[in-house]
Amino acid sequence: MKNYQRSIFIIVGLLAVVALLYFVFQKDREKYNWGEYYSKDGKDPYDTYVISEMLKSYFPDETFKSIGKGDEFSETLPIDAEEAINYVFIGDHLHLDSTEKEALVSFVENGNNAFIASNTLPGDFIPRLYADECESLKDYYYDHESGEYIFDDYEYYGWSGYEIYNNEKVELQFSHPDLKTEEPFNYVHQYKDKERDYYWRYIDDWTFCEQGFDYEILGRLGLDSLNFIRLKHGDGTFYFHTNPLVFSNYQMIREEALAYAGRVFSHLPEGDIYWDENSKFADYSEFTPPPRNFSQSPLQYILSQKSLRWSWYTGLVLVILYVLFRAKRRQRIIPVLKENANTSLEYIKTIGSLYFQQNAHKKLAQQEMKLFLYFLRDRYNIPTQQLDETFIKKVAIKSEVPAEEIQKILKTWKKVQRSSSIAPNTLVYFHGLVDDFYRNSK
């Protein structure tokens, strides 16, 4: 019982040591959150800490201001500033209510610039910019009674005006000859330790009205899909860029992506930069999907964190081992018995010695033959009931003794069987044949 308990303690101790060493020395490759949150202060792969720091130093003599979560967008964004200001949004979706949309449109109309890199836009944002120019929109947004455009009734989550290209990789290139490079800029979507397909967005032509809507192509995705455009509105300019992923931390640590971002933001004129952090977040109503990567249960959270996950697995293994050993039926140790020895060979040798002393030569030859057949059964596993040609071939093949020698043994044995007694020299001859077989067999 003491040995049993000692074994349990040793196993548990070894598992504990292995688990401790693993947690101390293992480099956690999943310590990052791979969700696309684009947080300005976040250090995870798809946050925007690197690009925000780059923009802080982009215009050293100008101000970099963040519109944080909870700030009143309409009050924080200076619509009537004396000098041109650059508004920057980098996020998955631009969440603005109707008042905030009007404030942003007025901000650009008054001569400022808005750079928006997103995967989607509010459903009524683009129509707000050119409702007067596009006759086809009036049937949807124009209220003839009030003589005003009413957009909010037609807004729904997920409209973007952007088409989808599904692949792991994508190539981006600029249209302006001063910015265009010989080779395109390459981007790969990475999730944890694997390259995975991604919905790369591009701007389709039907996004804009057919009545000569004025926009300038600045960059493309692939060969001909629009990725980056400049849109004049009032005295200011909108810059729309799809795929905010290209400005994430994971991409910006690459020299190629850093060079691409520098060319993109070279379009902004010098001035204060207002970074919009507030509009990346929204109240999730019944029409809006919940935030991604939220755990649904305590166990899901445990399994999503590598250290907690391995602690959980280690605990399960220890419990299973304990149950297995404790459930094992306890009984006295069964002693190991000596293997029974085969004494048939010793018996035959003893009888042969007795016959030799009595000059019983035939009986001695019979014992010699018994020993020979026992040898064949024991070493080569050859049946000895039929001593025919098949038997001779099997013995010759397995022992590598010529068949003629085996035939001599059997021929002499037949003579011994037919005789009532044999002479000493016949016994000696028969013994010599068998002895030669033993010495030459393999």
Side-chain angles (χ1 to χ4, degrees):
M1 187 61 186
K2 291 183 178 179
N3 291 335
Y4 169 76
Q5 291 179 337
R6 188 182 299 113
S7 299
I8 292 293
F9 289 140
I10 291 174
I11 292 174
V12 172
L14 288 175
L15 287 174
V17 170
V18 171
L20 179 62
L21 291 176
Y22 179 85
F23 292 134
V24 171
F25 296 105
Q26 173 71 10
K27 292 183 178 179
D28 190 356
R29 294 163 62 187
E30 296 184 12
K31 62 184 177 181
Y32 299 113
N33 186 335
W34 289 81
E36 293 180 38
Y37 294 112
Y38 302 103
S39 173
K40 176 178 68 69
D41 300 319
K43 304 294 181 65
D44 287 321
Y46 294 131
D47 285 325
T48 52
Y49 174 78
V50 177
I51 187 67
S52 65
E53 291 297 311
M54 185 187 88
L55 290 178
K56 286 179 183 179
S57 59
Y58 208 71
F59 303 127
D61 299 329
E62 306 297 339
T63 302
F64 181 94
K65 182 177 178 58
S66 176
I67 305 175
K69 289 186 286 185
D71 291 341
E72 286 293 335
F73 182 86
S74 303
E75 298 178 3
T76 307
L77 189 65
I79 297 176
D80 298 322
E82 295 181 0
E83 296 184 359
I85 294 175
N86 298 307
Y87 165 87
V88 175
F89 174 87
I90 299 176
D92 181 66
H93 181 74
L94 180 64
H95 297 283
L96 297 175
D97 60 28
S98 58
T99 304
E100 292 169 340
K101 292 168 192 171
E102 292 297 340
L104 182 57
V105 171
S106 299
F107 170 80
V108 175
E109 285 178 346
N110 289 342
N112 299 298
N113 306 287
F115 176 88
I116 300 173
S118 63
N119 288 323
T120 63
L121 289 172
D124 63 344
F125 189 75
I126 291 294
R128 283 175 183 272
L129 302 180
Y130 60 96
D132 288 332
E133 290 84 353
C134 188
E135 294 293 334
S136 61
L137 291 175
K138 291 187 177 181
D139 295 335
Y140 295 98
Y141 296 99
Y142 189 72
D143 183 17
H144 294 277
E145 292 183 4
S146 63
E148 297 178 354
Y149 288 98
I150 301 176
F151 298 101
D152 294 322
D153 294 340
Y154 300 92
E155 181 180 359
Y156 61 95
Y157 180 87
W159 187 94
S160 64
Y162 298 156
E163 291 297 312
I164 294 173
Y165 169 72
N166 187 23
N167 204 339
E168 296 176 2
K169 305 176 181 179
V170 73
E171 294 180 349
L172 304 182
Q173 185 58 280
F174 292 98
S175 299
H176 196 284
D178 291 341
L179 299 177
K180 189 174 183 179
T181 57
E182 293 184 3
E183 297 294 330
F185 296 87
N186 296 285
Y187 289 87
V188 177
H189 176 238
Q190 186 85 8
Y191 186 80
K192 295 184 180 179
D193 57 348
K194 292 182 180 179
E195 295 180 3
R196 297 192 180 183
D197 284 349
Y198 185 73
Y199 289 145
W200 303 97
R201 270 73 169 188
Y202 64 92
I203 305 171
D204 203 348
D205 292 337
W206 64 264
T207 302
F208 305 105
C209 181
E210 296 178 357
Q211 278 83 13
F213 195 55
D214 183 22
Y215 65 91
E216 181 183 357
I217 300 172
L218 302 179
R220 297 182 183 273
L221 181 150
L223 295 177
D224 53 6
S225 300
L226 307 187
N227 174 69
F228 184 26
I229 65 169
R230 174 162 46 200
L231 183 66
K232 297 292 291 183
H233 184 71
D235 295 329
T237 305
F238 277 101
Y239 295 89
F240 292 107
H241 192 293
T242 64
N243 305 306
L245 191 79
V246 303
F247 304 111
S248 63
N249 292 337
Y250 181 82
Q251 301 293 349
M252 290 296 294
I253 60 175
R254 299 188 302 118
E255 184 176 350
E256 182 179 14
L258 196 62
Y260 177 84
R263 284 171 166 79
V264 167
F265 287 101
S266 67
H267 292 85
L268 294 182
E270 185 173 355
D272 294 345
I273 293 178
Y274 276 66
W275 176 281
D276 186 358
E277 191 75 4
N278 177 74
S279 301
K280 298 174 185 177
F281 308 94
D283 294 329
Y284 289 92
S285 66
E286 57 179 336
F287 302 105
T288 307
R292 295 169 289 181
N293 298 327
F294 277 36
S295 298
Q296 302 299 319
S297 70
L299 181 58
Q300 283 181 311
Y301 177 77
I302 290 173
L303 296 180
S304 67
Q305 306 296 319
K306 192 165 187 179
S307 298
L308 295 178
R309 182 169 70 244
W310 278 101
S311 298
W312 173 262
Y313 291 152
T314 303
L316 286 180
V317 171
L318 292 177
V319 170
I320 292 171
L321 286 175
Y322 177 80
V323 172
L324 289 177
F325 282 101
R326 293 293 296 180
K328 184 178 179 182
R329 184 169 62 89
R330 299 178 184 176
Q331 61 181 15
R332 295 175 59 187
I333 298 176
I334 301 174
V336 179
L337 301 178
K338 263 183 95 175
E339 185 180 0
N340 292 329
N342 190 349
T343 59
S344 301
L345 191 59
E346 286 76 8
Y347 173 77
I348 293 174
K349 290 181 179 179
T350 303
I351 296 299
S353 299
L354 181 61
Y355 289 154
F356 182 77
Q357 293 174 4
Q358 296 176 353
N359 292 323
H361 300 141
K362 181 176 180 178
K363 291 183 178 181
L364 193 57
Q366 290 173 341
Q367 295 302 318
E368 183 85 34
M369 190 61 180
K370 286 182 180 180
L371 286 172
F372 176 68
L373 296 178
Y374 174 83
F375 176 82
L376 297 180
R377 289 193 299 271
D378 181 65
R379 173 171 288 193
Y380 303 120
N381 197 27
I382 298 175
T384 58
Q385 290 83 358
Q386 298 292 332
L387 306 181
D388 50 13
E389 290 297 326
T390 302
F391 170 79
I392 293 173
K393 289 181 181 179
K394 288 182 179 180
V395 175
I397 292 172
K398 292 190 175 184
S399 65
E400 298 185 11
V401 174
E404 293 80 7
E405 299 297 325
I406 301 170
Q407 288 175 343
K408 288 181 183 181
I409 294 174
L410 297 182
K411 184 177 180 180
T412 305
W413 168 241
K414 289 179 181 180
K415 289 181 181 180
V416 170
Q417 285 183 310
R418 290 195 298 268
S419 303
S420 57
S421 62
I422 61 173
N425 59 341
T426 302
L427 177 62
V428 172
Y429 176 71
F430 181 69
H431 174 76
L433 292 175
V434 175
D435 188 58
D436 288 341
F437 178 88
Y438 290 148
R439 286 186 285 104
N440 296 326
S441 63
K442 302 297 183 183

